[in-house]
Amino acid sequence: MRKLFIAGNWKMNLDDVGAVQLCQDLKTQLAGCGAAKVDVAVFPPFVYLPIVAEALRGSTIAMGAQDVWTEGNGAFTGEVSVDMLKDVGCTFVLVGHSERRHVIGETNELLNKKAKVALAGGLNVIFCIGELLEERQGNKTEAVVEEQIRLGLAGITAEQMANVTIAYEPVWAIGTGVTASKEQAQEAHAFTRKILTDLFGAEVAEATRIQYGGSVKGANAAELTAEPDVDGALVGGASLKADDFMAIINNGASNVGGCGGCCCG
Ligand code: 13P
């Protein structure tokens, strides 16, 4: 089984005090976990990255940014480069989150550039995909997801895939309280792995972690991550409170290695 990867996307939430407090609470609660059975990362807003990096010092929690620009440092008002993200301690970046695709209007082609520049610069990428409600209702889920993967990962090598996580986040499940059923999640993840096999071969596809995102909470984390192709979660709302996020981590970890939680060392 692939090691689970639970990540918290804070979106445009919290303030400086709240961001530091959340990190301290997570650090304390994760500290007793010994050989943690899940990888954990947080994705704060750009402006809080430096204080979050400081607050996370000495912990195993990784930090990433929610977005990145396609070019290196230069005349790109308002944007943030790969080098800047690495400078403040990011090791991850989200690319193609549904809010970037559907609220901001980012295209598959732009997201492909972002993924390539982030990987070339040494960041790990969580590449997000997922269909709208009307696309699911119109039986277009597989076509949409396949296009997002093929166009989004075009030109990325099999070697670079070692630094890519896919996040399947059906848009209708994000922030709605409606979670995909474990069967729906498994079906979409297995399909995603099939496309990855076609693009990069079975070994790479098997090793690539595919997170589920969309109204994940403590109460559904265990059943979702028990599915064979669900390798973790990308969590929004429930990542903003340490207790809620820890419930997801612990319930996910209950599926890993025959242990009743991540705290058995
Ligand atoms: P929610 O967990 O709030 O539904 O958000 C999911 C998400 O968009 C994570 O990137």
Side-chain angles (χ1 to χ4, degrees):
M1 180 173 193
R2 292 163 289 273
K3 191 178 179 191
L4 291 181
F5 181 19
I6 311 286
N9 172 11
W10 296 358
K11 308 192 180 183
M12 201 170 74
N13 289 299
L14 299 175
D15 58 15
D16 55 354
V17 173
V20 170
Q21 186 64 52
L22 177 52
C23 293
Q24 284 165 350
D25 292 346
L26 289 175
K27 237 169 117 169
T28 308
Q29 295 192 37
L30 272 171
C33 285
K37 294 189 168 58
V38 296
D39 290 323
V40 178
V42 293
F43 290 75
F46 284 138
V47 291
Y48 302 134
L49 289 169
I51 57 168
V52 166
E54 186 57 36
L56 292 177
R57 201 176 291 278
S59 81
T60 55
I61 305 169
M63 183 180 77
Q66 297 173 18
D67 190 24
V68 66
W69 187 236
T70 55
E71 309 291 332
N73 292 357
F76 300 99
T77 303
E79 295 297 342
V80 177
S81 70
V82 169
D83 282 349
M84 290 170 180
L85 296 182
K86 291 197 298 182
D87 202 25
V88 296
C90 288
T91 51
F92 282 88
V93 65
L94 297 182
V95 174
H97 189 276
S98 98
E99 287 135 30
R100 305 281 332 160
R101 291 178 185 271
H102 298 295
V103 182
I104 317 286
E106 296 192 349
T107 62
N108 285 316
E109 291 70 25
L110 178 72
L111 297 172
N112 176 240
K113 281 191 198 159
K114 291 187 173 189
K116 284 197 287 203
V117 81
L119 290 168
L123 287 175
N124 296 288
V125 168
I126 297 185
F127 192 81
C128 308
I129 57 173
E131 81 286 359
L132 296 162
L133 181 59
E134 57 263 36
E135 291 166 340
R136 175 161 283 267
Q137 288 169 338
N139 286 324
K140 295 199 181 107
T141 298
E142 291 193 349
V144 169
V145 162
E146 179 165 359
E147 181 171 70
Q148 289 172 338
I149 299 170
R150 287 190 186 277
L151 297 182
L153 301 184
I156 287 168
T157 65
E159 289 70 33
Q160 286 177 312
M161 284 301 291
N163 300 111
V164 175
T165 299
I166 305 289
Y168 169 66
E169 299 201 296
V171 183
W172 47 272
I174 296 178
T176 59
V178 179
T179 314
S181 67
K182 58 185 172 39
E183 293 83 8
Q184 286 172 320
Q186 168 58 24
E187 189 179 35
H189 284 226
F191 178 75
T192 296
R193 209 176 299 284
K194 187 173 131 216
I195 304 300
L196 293 178
T197 304
D198 192 37
L199 286 172
F200 302 107
E203 202 178 322
V204 169
E206 190 48 42
T208 303
R209 290 193 290 195
I210 306 175
Q211 299 171 312
Y212 167 78
S215 299
V216 177
K217 19 190 189 295
N220 57 30
E223 72 166 23
L224 284 163
T225 55
E227 292 297 317
D229 287 294
V230 179
D231 307 314
L234 180 54
V235 186
S239 72
L240 297 172
K241 289 201 184 121
D243 288 350
D244 294 346
F245 195 46
M246 283 305 303
I248 294 169
I249 294 168
N250 282 319
N251 291 345
S254 68
N255 291 315
V256 188
C259 142
C262 78
C263 296
C264 69

Tab-separated table of all heavy atoms in Angstrom, residues 9 11 94 97-99 169 173-177 213-216 234-238, ligand 1:
chain	number	residue	atom	x	y	z
A	9	ASN	N	-5.485	22.356	2.619
A	9	ASN	CA	-5.496	23.565	1.795
A	9	ASN	C	-6.311	24.621	2.538
A	9	ASN	O	-7.529	24.515	2.621
A	9	ASN	CB	-6.122	23.231	0.431
A	9	ASN	CG	-6.350	24.460	-0.418
A	9	ASN	OD1	-5.876	25.550	-0.103
A	9	ASN	ND2	-7.070	24.294	-1.510
A	11	LYS	N	-6.844	27.626	1.733
A	11	LYS	CA	-7.502	28.601	0.841
A	11	LYS	C	-7.282	30.018	1.389
A	11	LYS	O	-6.240	30.283	1.982
A	11	LYS	CB	-8.982	28.251	0.671
A	11	LYS	CG	-9.169	26.787	0.261
A	11	LYS	CD	-10.542	26.449	-0.197
A	11	LYS	CE	-10.578	24.975	-0.575
A	11	LYS	NZ	-11.861	24.554	-1.106
A	94	LEU	N	0.324	23.567	-4.982
A	94	LEU	CA	-0.905	23.098	-5.644
A	94	LEU	C	-0.951	23.670	-7.050
A	94	LEU	O	-0.651	24.848	-7.246
A	94	LEU	CB	-2.158	23.606	-4.916
A	94	LEU	CG	-2.440	23.182	-3.479
A	94	LEU	CD1	-3.768	23.806	-3.025
A	94	LEU	CD2	-2.504	21.675	-3.370
A	97	HIS	N	-6.044	23.766	-8.775
A	97	HIS	CA	-7.183	23.623	-7.867
A	97	HIS	C	-8.462	24.103	-8.561
A	97	HIS	O	-8.433	25.028	-9.366
A	97	HIS	CB	-6.948	24.414	-6.575
A	97	HIS	CG	-7.999	24.116	-5.552
A	97	HIS	ND1	-9.210	24.761	-5.546
A	97	HIS	CD2	-8.045	23.202	-4.563
A	97	HIS	CE1	-9.952	24.253	-4.572
A	97	HIS	NE2	-9.273	23.307	-3.961
A	98	SER	N	-9.587	23.512	-8.198
A	98	SER	CA	-10.838	23.822	-8.906
A	98	SER	C	-11.182	25.299	-8.842
A	98	SER	O	-11.752	25.854	-9.781
A	98	SER	CB	-11.985	22.979	-8.353
A	98	SER	OG	-12.746	23.692	-7.432
A	99	GLU	N	-10.811	25.964	-7.727
A	99	GLU	CA	-11.129	27.394	-7.656
A	99	GLU	C	-10.261	28.196	-8.626
A	99	GLU	O	-10.686	29.230	-9.145
A	99	GLU	CB	-10.988	27.882	-6.206
A	99	GLU	CG	-12.145	27.371	-5.353
A	99	GLU	CD	-11.757	26.822	-3.998
A	99	GLU	OE1	-10.747	27.280	-3.421
A	99	GLU	OE2	-12.447	25.908	-3.502
A	169	GLU	N	-10.614	15.981	-7.111
A	169	GLU	CA	-11.551	16.776	-6.310
A	169	GLU	C	-12.780	17.112	-7.161
A	169	GLU	O	-12.771	18.107	-7.890
A	169	GLU	CB	-10.881	18.068	-5.839
A	169	GLU	CG	-9.664	17.847	-4.967
A	169	GLU	CD	-9.347	19.082	-4.125
A	169	GLU	OE1	-9.016	20.130	-4.693
A	169	GLU	OE2	-9.471	18.991	-2.902
A	173	ALA	N	-18.320	18.429	-4.855
A	173	ALA	CA	-18.115	17.970	-3.468
A	173	ALA	C	-17.301	18.963	-2.648
A	173	ALA	O	-17.156	18.789	-1.437
A	173	ALA	CB	-17.422	16.608	-3.473
A	174	ILE	N	-16.769	19.995	-3.295
A	174	ILE	CA	-15.873	20.914	-2.596
A	174	ILE	C	-16.672	21.968	-1.834
A	174	ILE	O	-17.439	22.730	-2.425
A	174	ILE	CB	-14.911	21.602	-3.590
A	174	ILE	CG1	-13.993	20.562	-4.231
A	174	ILE	CG2	-14.101	22.683	-2.889
A	174	ILE	CD1	-13.035	21.120	-5.260
A	175	GLY	N	-16.502	21.981	-0.522
A	175	GLY	CA	-17.146	22.991	0.311
A	175	GLY	C	-18.653	22.859	0.394
A	175	GLY	O	-19.337	23.763	0.869
A	176	THR	N	-19.196	21.746	-0.068
A	176	THR	CA	-20.650	21.589	-0.110
A	176	THR	C	-21.189	20.702	1.006
A	176	THR	O	-22.393	20.649	1.227
A	176	THR	CB	-21.083	20.937	-1.445
A	176	THR	OG1	-20.421	19.656	-1.542
A	176	THR	CG2	-20.698	21.790	-2.639
A	177	GLY	N	-20.297	19.955	1.658
A	177	GLY	CA	-20.760	18.976	2.631
A	177	GLY	C	-21.173	17.666	1.966
A	177	GLY	O	-21.447	16.678	2.634
A	213	GLY	N	-10.334	14.778	-2.663
A	213	GLY	CA	-10.700	16.016	-1.977
A	213	GLY	C	-12.152	16.363	-2.236
A	213	GLY	O	-12.687	16.109	-3.325
A	214	GLY	N	-12.801	16.945	-1.233
A	214	GLY	CA	-14.208	17.341	-1.361
A	214	GLY	C	-14.973	16.895	-0.139
A	214	GLY	O	-15.394	15.742	-0.037
A	215	SER	N	-15.099	17.835	0.837
A	215	SER	CA	-15.870	17.582	2.064
A	215	SER	C	-15.363	16.367	2.852
A	215	SER	O	-16.162	15.616	3.421
A	215	SER	CB	-17.361	17.452	1.745
A	215	SER	OG	-17.844	18.663	1.172
A	216	VAL	N	-14.030	16.189	2.867
A	216	VAL	CA	-13.465	15.131	3.718
A	216	VAL	C	-13.523	15.604	5.171
A	216	VAL	O	-13.205	16.755	5.479
A	216	VAL	CB	-12.003	14.813	3.332
A	216	VAL	CG1	-11.414	13.770	4.280
A	216	VAL	CG2	-11.928	14.324	1.890
A	234	LEU	N	-6.970	15.641	0.209
A	234	LEU	CA	-6.681	17.070	0.166
A	234	LEU	C	-7.890	17.736	0.813
A	234	LEU	O	-9.003	17.678	0.294
A	234	LEU	CB	-6.470	17.541	-1.277
A	234	LEU	CG	-6.148	19.016	-1.472
A	234	LEU	CD1	-4.945	19.457	-0.642
A	234	LEU	CD2	-5.871	19.309	-2.951
A	235	VAL	N	-7.652	18.345	1.972
A	235	VAL	CA	-8.734	18.775	2.853
A	235	VAL	C	-8.816	20.299	2.869
A	235	VAL	O	-7.796	20.970	3.021
A	235	VAL	CB	-8.466	18.273	4.290
A	235	VAL	CG1	-9.649	18.590	5.195
A	235	VAL	CG2	-8.152	16.780	4.301
A	236	GLY	N	-10.018	20.834	2.722
A	236	GLY	CA	-10.209	22.272	2.810
A	236	GLY	C	-10.685	22.665	4.195
A	236	GLY	O	-9.911	22.747	5.148
A	237	GLY	N	-12.006	22.863	4.332
A	237	GLY	CA	-12.587	23.374	5.567
A	237	GLY	C	-12.129	22.660	6.831
A	237	GLY	O	-11.825	23.306	7.849
A	238	ALA	N	-12.069	21.339	6.781
A	238	ALA	CA	-11.721	20.578	7.990
A	238	ALA	C	-10.227	20.620	8.307
A	238	ALA	O	-9.798	20.015	9.289
A	238	ALA	CB	-12.199	19.136	7.857
B	1	13P	P1	-13.445	21.092	1.394
B	1	13P	O1	-12.717	20.019	2.169
B	1	13P	O2	-13.722	22.318	2.196
B	1	13P	O3	-14.626	20.532	0.660
B	1	13P	O4	-12.419	21.588	0.255
B	1	13P	C1	-11.762	20.656	-0.542
B	1	13P	C2	-10.698	21.342	-1.294
B	1	13P	O5	-10.957	22.137	-2.170
B	1	13P	C3	-9.311	21.044	-0.921
B	1	13P	O6	-8.412	21.550	-1.871
